[in-house]
Amino acid sequence: MTYCVAMMLERGLIFMSDTRTNAGVDDVSRVKKMHTFEISGERSMILLSSGNLATTQAVVGLLEERSKAPDDRDPSIFRTLSMFQTAKLVGETLNEVVANMRIHDDQPTAHAFSATMILGGQIAGSDPRLFLIYPEGNFIEAKADNPFFQIGEIKYGRPILSRAYDPQMDFAEAAKLLLISFDSTLRSNLSVGLPIDMGVYKRDSFKVGPFRRFDEHDEDFRAISHGWSDALKHAFSRLPDLVVPDE
Amino acid sequence: MTYCVAMMLERGLIFMSDTRTNAGVDDVSRVKKMHTFEISGERSMILLSSGNLATTQAVVGLLEERSKAPDDRDPSIFRTLSMFQTAKLVGETLNEVVANMRIHDDQPTAHAFSATMILGGQIAGSDPRLFLIYPEGNFIEAKADNPFFQIGEIKYGRPILSRAYDPQMDFAEAAKLLLISFDSTLRSNLSVGLPIDMGVYKRDSFKVGPFRRFDEHDEDFRAISHGWSDALKHAFSRLPDLVVPDE
């Protein structure tokens, strides 16, 4: 499994992803699921990936290859005219990779090679935009009514996002919110694991970052993880007591 | 979908279940998923059900039928010698019902008629016990390390249970905790719906109850639902801020 989230804020975009990949519970490794594509000053994009690792690495690999020598290896992620076109390119690249894998699959099963991705960023001349790209290569965009996307193990960490998200948050608050959401997920699903990667994109900066990696020794992550348990218990005790009548 | 939880406390057992049942999103109704079996002073049992409604109603119907005239309609849930035997009986009744349904299914699909149940209660002479009964009819028991069971849509409401559960809670606190867990689930999954049924069993009382139903107008439920959002935001703001450095 995987857990990745990206949120749209007034001041930009924030991304977070775990790093665990596994084939069964007896084959666990670490992999970075956050990928950056940037021409400083002109376009800045971050891609988060979940699903089949061979698929997601092939997609990112193809996007990188084709961006290195765009003249003879089209289409390049550095030549799209908008974030919408970029999302379409990523979706088409995903379709291409999965179609190639299926050719060699003797017993095709639905979703065997499938992957889901989040793409966010900004191209000079328009606003930052955020997309969720489905395994079929089609995609939806984040708007005011659905300002964040989650992929992978989305349920454990969703209630706090729904309740505490505010588009006017600064990046420090948003990072805290995402870490709480990740902590809830890490506690419940072994296939989501530390370290956690965070990436920030400030509106109109056309430069991704800062980035930060949180591992189990990270003081901030530990403070939030422990502090949140205490804060929840405190919040719980502050709520009015229910009357359960004796019969 | 469904959401049901039962928790083992030092002072007894507490049960909560939603009431929504649906076949698609265009066919939604209400059904009680909490069932009581009791011989006052001798045995008190509560059964929570999720899964195929025809299956769960057939299981409860058979258990009730056979308890009404136990002499000619064995085996009776009122004649088991222990809660362990009762869990076994419920599991076997579930197997019987599903096997009968499969006979008439031309195109059997796995899990088509499956159901999952929680059984808790006490029979005079031993302690209260709590069981989770799987679709295959086998079951596991709640112990100090796994003191509560959830069935149905379990993920959204789990983080708060894991963090705030305490075996020494009184029923009023436990009811509050369960309502918070249900509120998180209701907000995220349309197929879990109000009203919510609550049932309490006090250790050594051999009398189930009190029971209570929370609907959308219930003052306590509204206070907890709104209060929890505020309490979470307050808890969130109390946590130490993260430093997200400018680059």
Side-chain angles (χ1 to χ4, degrees):
Chain A
M1 207 73 163
T2 281
Y3 184 41
C4 299
V5 187
M7 294 198 312
M8 192 146 227
L9 304 169
E10 288 184 1
R11 61 195 72 202
L13 301 165
I14 183 166
F15 303 82
M16 200 172 274
S17 54
D18 85 313
T19 49
R20 185 156 294 173
T21 183
N22 69 299
V25 289
D26 54 350
D27 181 5
V28 175
S29 1
R30 182 188 290 186
V31 68
K32 188 160 189 182
K33 302 172 190 176
M34 183 178 293
H35 317 277
T36 303
F37 299 92
E38 183 167 73
I39 299 175
S40 191
E42 196 255 87
R43 61 179 65 207
S44 297
M45 301 175 286
I46 290 181
L47 184 67
L48 304 178
S49 57
S50 75
N52 183 293
L53 183 60
T55 298
T56 58
Q57 289 197 343
V59 170
V60 172
L62 271 180
L63 292 171
E64 284 174 348
E65 283 274 312
R66 289 168 178 168
S67 68
K68 280 175 188 162
D71 286 331
D72 56 305
R73 295 182 223 169
D74 259 349
S76 165
I77 195 167
F78 289 151
R79 291 195 165 180
T80 52
L81 299 177
S82 66
M83 284 305 297
F84 181 86
Q85 280 190 17
T86 316
K88 191 157 169 287
L89 172 62
V90 173
E92 286 165 356
T93 309
L94 176 58
N95 286 342
E96 177 189 341
V97 166
V98 172
N100 279 336
M101 287 181 175
R102 282 201 179 134
I103 292 171
H104 306 288
D105 188 7
D106 289 336
Q107 298 176 304
T109 45
H111 309 307
F113 304 120
S114 84
T116 307
M117 297 182 154
I118 295 174
L119 172 75
Q122 186 176 16
I123 293 178
S126 52
D127 286 332
R129 295 173 76 175
L130 183 63
F131 297 90
L132 174 68
I133 299 161
Y134 291 109
E136 294 77 11
N138 55 349
F139 50 87
I140 58 174
E141 184 172 3
K143 301 281 185 182
D145 283 329
N146 63 330
F148 59 85
F149 288 132
Q150 305 167 280
I151 54 177
E153 174 57 277
I154 67 172
K155 293 187 177 182
Y156 296 114
R158 189 173 183 87
I160 184 64
L161 292 183
S162 314
R163 282 196 175 98
Y165 170 84
D166 178 343
Q168 301 187 322
M169 281 177 154
D170 61 30
F171 289 118
E173 288 173 307
K176 190 166 76 169
L177 174 58
L178 289 179
L179 284 182
I180 292 169
S181 176
F182 270 72
D183 186 52
S184 294
T185 310
L186 291 166
R187 283 168 188 258
S188 298
N189 188 331
L190 263 187
S191 71
V192 177
L194 290 167
I196 295 166
D197 287 316
M198 182 180 79
V200 165
Y201 173 72
K202 284 178 195 147
R203 170 188 280 271
D204 300 334
S205 68
F206 299 103
K207 176 151 179 46
V208 293
F211 291 95
R212 183 164 165 189
R213 174 164 277 199
F214 299 92
D215 64 19
E216 69 269 37
H217 307 298
D218 186 281
E219 289 298 326
D220 282 343
F221 178 69
R222 291 166 69 97
I224 281 175
S225 178
H226 295 134
W228 185 241
S229 280
D230 294 340
L232 273 187
K233 284 175 195 158
H234 180 76
F236 179 69
S237 68
R238 283 176 70 226
L239 275 189
D241 262 355
L242 212 72
V243 179
V244 176
D246 277 306
E247 278 208 333
Chain B
M1 207 69 164
T2 282
Y3 184 40
C4 299
V5 187
M7 292 198 313
M8 193 147 229
L9 304 169
E10 287 184 2
R11 59 196 75 203
L13 301 165
I14 183 164
F15 302 82
M16 198 170 275
S17 54
D18 86 313
T19 50
R20 184 155 294 171
T21 183
N22 69 300
V25 289
D26 54 349
D27 181 5
V28 175
S29 357
R30 183 189 290 187
V31 67
K32 189 161 187 181
K33 302 171 189 176
M34 183 179 292
H35 318 277
T36 304
F37 299 92
E38 182 168 73
I39 299 174
S40 191
E42 197 254 77
R43 63 178 65 207
S44 297
M45 299 175 291
I46 291 181
L47 185 67
L48 304 178
S49 57
S50 75
N52 183 291
L53 184 59
T55 299
T56 58
Q57 289 196 342
V59 169
V60 173
L62 271 180
L63 292 171
E64 283 174 348
E65 283 274 312
R66 288 168 178 170
S67 68
K68 280 174 187 159
D71 286 332
D72 58 305
R73 294 185 222 169
D74 260 350
S76 165
I77 197 169
F78 289 150
R79 291 192 164 182
T80 51
L81 298 177
S82 66
M83 285 303 298
F84 181 86
Q85 280 190 16
T86 315
K88 193 159 169 286
L89 172 62
V90 173
E92 286 165 356
T93 309
L94 175 59
N95 285 342
E96 178 189 339
V97 166
V98 172
N100 279 337
M101 287 180 173
R102 285 202 177 135
I103 291 171
H104 305 287
D105 187 7
D106 289 337
Q107 297 177 305
T109 44
H111 311 306
F113 304 121
S114 84
T116 307
M117 297 182 151
I118 294 174
L119 172 75
Q122 187 176 17
I123 294 178
S126 52
D127 285 332
R129 293 171 77 175
L130 183 64
F131 297 90
L132 174 70
I133 299 161
Y134 291 109
E136 294 77 10
N138 55 349
F139 50 86
I140 58 172
E141 184 172 3
K143 300 281 185 182
D145 283 329
N146 62 331
F148 59 85
F149 288 131
Q150 305 166 278
I151 55 178
E153 176 56 277
I154 66 172
K155 293 187 178 182
Y156 296 114
R158 189 174 183 88
I160 184 63
L161 292 183
S162 312
R163 283 198 174 96
Y165 170 84
D166 178 343
Q168 300 185 325
M169 282 178 154
D170 62 29
F171 288 118
E173 288 174 305
K176 190 166 76 168
L177 175 58
L178 289 179
L179 283 181
I180 293 169
S181 176
F182 270 72
D183 187 52
S184 294
T185 311
L186 292 165
R187 282 168 188 258
S188 299
N189 188 331
L190 264 187
S191 71
V192 176
L194 290 169
I196 296 166
D197 288 314
M198 183 181 77
V200 164
Y201 173 72
K202 287 179 193 147
R203 170 187 281 271
D204 300 333
S205 68
F206 299 104
K207 179 152 178 41
V208 291
F211 290 96
R212 183 164 165 189
R213 174 165 278 201
F214 300 91
D215 64 20
E216 68 270 36
H217 307 298
D218 186 283
E219 289 298 326
D220 282 343
F221 178 69
R222 290 165 68 96
I224 281 174
S225 178
H226 294 135
W228 185 240
S229 279
D230 294 340
L232 274 188
K233 284 174 193 158
H234 180 76
F236 178 70
S237 68
R238 283 177 70 227
L239 275 189
D241 262 356
L242 211 72
V243 179
V244 177
D246 277 306
E247 277 207 337

